[in-house]
């Protein structure tokens, strides 16, 4: 994927187009808004108020990046009204309860948001007469995790131990059902809807302050001159900078627009094999880049279950979409930590500069 070709194709597909983003006030949603502005799209967002302070959405003046609607994804009537009024060319469905540990405390909310929220989005699209391309964002955790070194391909069994992972697997099954029942690729000339799903690995990047995520936990510890406590030091994850999967989602959406029958399916977006790191390695690299700090390992045998190893096979995205990650783990960590070091001066400029650098490489 040549840089010039990628940016030209993305701008050709998104400039002046209407893009509806659910979950736009979240970490990934806020970065996506900034990317869509960079590409010249007209964006409308639908989500709850930003959670916590600081908030990347507020730091980026998110209300100036899109037409923002603050509402619950479970409010089907409101969601339908907003989607139909906007008549989008693209829908990116990011709205979710996205934390594994929270899903143990709020399993019903997690299933309602992640499953029925997806159901409502797809139903609203089904009710529209306009041509539309949809990318449903789930997670790498949708697979029935065998805890082996094998990297999961898109055709492998779905599962999920915890409520979060299970709910996202359900969202994948639901999306596949809608695609087969209402949006069959071979019938595209009649319904004019193309629906794909995107399964991304663990994302890092500036502006994430979520609870129980390793980089936000690290930043909080560093800012308070405290020792970071690492819960699962030997867990292996497919770490990637947030711009990587977001570029994949946009690239997939562009391909859906150009050839809806060929690309309406599920795709993994993750790092290259050598960038699947243990949590301990990620922390050690981060502290080296930051220049100070310390950590201790404290494994709680009574803690809620979290996968020990999880890896994605991204060969389908590489060969079918000509997409591959641009930044290795060191670059991803450097960009992430540099963002936290400099955002207080000008968060908008810092974010825009990183987007421009990403697309320039």
């Amino acid at each position: 994927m040549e840089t010039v070709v990628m940016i030209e194709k993305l701008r050709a597909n998104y400039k002046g187009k209407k893009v509806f983003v659910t979950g736009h006030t979240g970490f990934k949603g806020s970065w996506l808004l900034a990317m869509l502005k960079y590409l010249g799209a007209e964006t409308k967002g639908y989500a709850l108020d930003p959670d916590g302070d600081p908030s990347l959405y507020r730091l980026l003046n998110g209300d100036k990046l899109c037409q923002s609607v603050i509402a619950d994804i479970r409010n089907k009537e409101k969601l339908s009204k907003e989607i139909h009024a906007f008549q989008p060319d693209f829908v990116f469905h990011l709205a979710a309860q996205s934390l594994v540990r929270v899903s143990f405390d709020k399993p019903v909310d997690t299933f309602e948001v992640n499953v029925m929220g997806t159901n409502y989005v797809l139903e609203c699209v089904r009710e529209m007469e306009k041509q539309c391309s949809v990318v449903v964002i789930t997670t790498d955790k949708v697979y029935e995790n065998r805890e082996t070194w094998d990297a999961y391909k898109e055709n492998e069994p779905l599962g999920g131990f915890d409520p979060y992972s299970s709910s996202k697997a359900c969202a994948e099954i639901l999306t596949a059902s809608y695609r087969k029942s209402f949006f069959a690729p071979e019938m595209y000339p009649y319904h004019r809807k193309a629906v794909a799903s995107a399964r991304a690995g663990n994302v890092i990047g500036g502006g994430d302050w979520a609870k129980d995520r390793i980089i936000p936990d690290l930043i909080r510890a560093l800012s308070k001159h405290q020792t970071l406590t690492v819960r699962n030091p030997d867990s292996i994850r497919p770490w990637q900078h947030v711009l990587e999967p977001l570029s994949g989602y946009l690239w997939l959406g562009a391909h859906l627009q150009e050839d809806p029958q060929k690309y309406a399916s599920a795709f993994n977006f993750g790092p290259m094999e050598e960038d699947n790191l243990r949590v301990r390695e990620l922390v050690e690299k981060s502290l080296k880049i930051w220049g100070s700090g310390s950590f201790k390992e404290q494994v709680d045998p009574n803690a809620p279950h979290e996968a020990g190893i999880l890896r994605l096979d991204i060969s389908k995205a590489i060969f079918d979409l000509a997409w591959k990650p641009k930044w290795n783990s060191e670059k991803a960590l450097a960009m992430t930590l540099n963002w936290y070091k400099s955002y207080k001066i000008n968060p908008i400029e810092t974010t825009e500069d990183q987007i421009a650098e990403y697309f320039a490489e």
Side-chain angles (χ1 to χ4, degrees):
M1 174 182 57
E2 295 294 333
T3 295
V4 174
V5 173
M6 182 185 197
I7 193 64
E8 287 182 352
K9 181 174 178 131
L10 289 177
R11 283 198 169 126
N13 277 274
Y14 291 102
K15 187 174 182 179
K17 296 296 180 67
K18 292 185 174 182
V19 183
F20 192 91
V21 178
T22 71
H24 70 291
T25 59
F27 165 55
K28 288 173 74 174
S30 298
W31 273 97
L32 182 57
L33 292 183
M35 294 177 79
L36 287 167
K37 178 192 175 187
Y38 183 81
L39 298 174
E42 178 186 348
T43 308
K44 182 175 186 176
Y46 185 103
L48 298 177
D49 273 319
D51 185 21
D53 185 30
S55 151
L56 180 59
Y57 181 80
R58 294 192 181 99
L59 288 171
L60 298 182
N61 290 329
D63 287 348
K64 294 184 178 180
L65 297 177
C66 69
Q67 178 186 340
S68 178
V69 177
I70 301 302
D72 196 312
I73 197 71
R74 293 171 288 186
N75 187 337
K76 167 65 164 56
E77 183 178 351
K78 176 68 171 174
L79 180 65
S80 179
K81 176 183 175 181
E82 298 300 339
I83 289 180
H84 284 79
F86 190 56
Q87 290 291 298
D89 300 293
F90 297 90
V91 173
F92 290 91
H93 176 44
L94 282 73
Q97 193 300 96
S98 60
L99 299 174
V100 171
R101 290 168 75 91
V102 170
S103 75
F104 284 99
D105 296 328
K106 299 180 178 180
V108 174
D109 284 352
T110 299
F111 278 98
E112 285 180 347
V113 171
N114 295 351
V115 183
M116 293 312 299
T118 302
N119 192 176
Y120 294 153
V121 169
L122 292 174
E123 185 64 13
C124 290
V125 170
R126 187 173 78 89
E127 294 166 353
M128 266 200 331
E129 294 185 5
K130 184 179 179 180
Q131 176 184 359
C132 187
S133 297
V134 183
V135 179
V136 175
I137 284 76
T138 59
T139 175
D140 57 348
K141 297 174 181 63
V142 297
Y143 296 103
E144 185 65 51
N145 194 345
R146 301 184 298 273
E147 300 275 353
T148 70
W149 280 96
D150 295 332
Y152 294 106
K153 296 182 178 181
E154 290 84 350
N155 60 356
E156 297 199 52
L158 303 178
F161 182 104
D162 56 88
Y164 167 71
S165 303
S166 176
S167 70
K168 284 295 193 174
C170 290
E172 282 281 357
I173 294 170
L174 188 153
T175 299
S177 173
Y178 262 73
R179 185 165 49 238
K180 293 174 182 176
S181 301
F182 308 115
F183 308 134
E186 64 271 18
M187 300 298 289
Y188 180 81
Y190 299 95
H191 55 70
R192 300 192 303 160
K193 309 296 189 300
V195 179
S197 61
R199 306 165 182 176
N202 289 53
V203 296
I204 60 175
D208 187 5
W209 282 281
K211 183 181 178 183
D212 293 328
R213 284 184 182 157
I214 190 62
I215 293 297
D217 286 348
L218 174 66
I219 296 300
R220 279 187 285 268
L222 289 169
S223 65
K224 297 176 182 177
H225 304 286
Q226 296 176 346
T227 298
L228 170 68
T229 298
V230 177
R231 299 190 311 271
N232 299 296
D234 290 312
S235 293
I236 298 172
R237 296 287 185 271
W239 309 100
Q240 58 188 326
H241 192 276
V242 65
L243 290 175
E244 301 284 14
L246 292 180
S247 74
Y249 305 162
L250 291 167
W251 195 239
L252 175 56
H255 278 71
L256 283 174
Q257 194 81 347
E258 294 181 356
D259 193 338
Q261 294 178 310
K262 182 177 180 180
Y263 297 104
S265 60
F267 286 86
N268 289 337
F269 294 99
M272 302 303 284
E273 184 176 354
E274 61 270 20
D275 292 309
N276 289 276
L277 303 177
R278 296 183 187 276
V279 173
R280 181 188 296 107
E281 294 176 282
L282 185 84
V283 172
E284 289 172 343
K285 288 175 181 287
S286 298
L287 294 179
K288 183 177 180 181
I289 293 169
W290 191 269
S292 64
S294 60
F295 75 98
K296 63 180 180 181
E297 299 177 6
Q298 186 172 307
V299 179
D300 181 1
N302 299 315
H305 173 271
E306 292 187 62
I309 181 172
L310 182 55
R311 299 166 68 239
L312 290 177
D313 184 317
I314 60 171
S315 56
K316 183 180 177 183
I318 291 174
F319 293 112
D320 290 6
L321 297 177
W323 176 94
K324 64 179 180 180
K326 294 187 177 189
W327 291 346
N328 61 21
S329 58
E330 284 79 8
K331 176 75 177 207
L333 284 168
M335 297 299 285
T336 297
L337 296 169
N338 287 340
W339 191 99
Y340 284 106
K341 283 187 173 183
S342 58
Y343 83 91
K344 290 183 180 179
I345 299 171
N346 191 327
I348 296 175
E349 183 177 315
T350 299
T351 302
E352 290 176 344
D353 286 350
Q354 291 201 354
I355 291 171
E357 180 174 343
Y358 178 83
F359 280 122
E361 293 187 3

